[in-house]
Amino acid sequence: MARMNKEFTYSVIDLLDIEPNDRVLEIGFGSGVGIHRLAQLALTGYIAGIDYSKEMVEQATARNLKKVEAGLVDLRQGSVESLPFENNTFDKALAVNSMQVWSDASIGLREMRRVMKKVDGRIALGFTPYSGQSSNGLIQMFTNAGFTEVQLVETERGFCALAIAS
């Protein structure tokens, strides 16, 4: 799965224009290939991730051990519906092929919005065809959660929903 999703995950990350000092949150980070890439881009920033699976947290921690030990990467087991972070913490946030398995996507999006900075906070949720996620209604879901400038971007391997937290 890590190899299959790697290029698509990187393309979603690229849409966020990660800066060296950015604080970035990834939901459903799986084996941690996206976390690894984010840590390469936000060299002096902070990368956090939440994944429901204990096994994925362990695998991603092992993959990113040096950055975890240095305090630059923080990986936790948990749920998007109850994020363990303060309001206005992150500059950017993403999820790849995970929203369709959240127990409540509306609550998850509101939680992501809550922890994102209100000035220029950017979110990107990417979906490959095998995710089963439809683009129908996504713009309205993002708008209802408090995001603005919502747009859908088609890519070679799927689509991405982009928005601003304001």
Side-chain angles (χ1 to χ4, degrees):
M1 190 68 98
R3 279 179 268 132
M4 284 178 26
N5 281 337
K6 181 179 177 180
E7 293 305 316
F8 183 70
T9 299
Y10 282 16
S11 71
V12 172
I13 290 169
D14 288 346
L15 290 171
L16 287 172
D17 297 321
I18 304 298
E19 298 290 331
N21 291 325
D22 278 345
R23 298 175 63 84
V24 186
L25 173 65
E26 183 175 5
I27 304 296
F29 53 76
S31 65
V33 295
I35 295 290
H36 182 77
R37 179 70 179 139
L38 290 166
Q40 290 175 325
L41 296 170
L43 289 170
T44 55
Y46 170 74
I47 308 301
I50 294 291
D51 199 291
Y52 189 75
S53 167
K54 178 183 176 189
E55 292 78 17
M56 291 295 98
V57 173
E58 291 170 355
Q59 195 174 108
T61 298
R63 175 168 284 172
N64 296 282
L65 190 57
K66 288 182 182 177
K67 297 286 186 176
V68 169
E69 289 174 340
L72 300 172
V73 170
D74 177 7
L75 303 176
R76 304 182 194 188
Q77 183 178 3
S79 166
V80 67
E81 292 89 3
S82 181
L83 294 173
F85 303 106
E86 298 291 324
N87 295 353
N88 308 312
T89 299
F90 297 99
D91 301 294
K92 296 170 181 159
L94 71 145
V96 175
N97 285 342
S98 74
M99 189 177 94
Q100 69 278 4
V101 298
W102 299 352
S103 63
D104 188 319
S106 295
I107 291 174
L109 285 172
R110 283 195 304 271
E111 268 294 277
M112 289 181 78
R113 164 72 176 61
R114 178 186 67 77
V115 301
M116 292 179 69
K117 292 182 179 172
K118 306 305 185 247
V119 178
D120 297 327
R122 298 181 66 196
I123 185 172
L125 270 58
F127 306 95
T128 58
Y130 66 84
S131 72
Q133 178 68 45
S134 169
S135 61
N136 292 337
L138 276 181
I139 291 175
Q140 190 62 50
M141 285 181 73
F142 274 73
T143 302
N144 291 346
F147 292 98
T148 61
E149 300 180 40
V150 185
Q151 60 180 310
L152 297 178
V153 176
E154 295 292 327
T155 71
E156 288 180 24
R157 296 190 165 125
F159 71 94
C160 189
L162 300 171
I164 303 293
S166 59

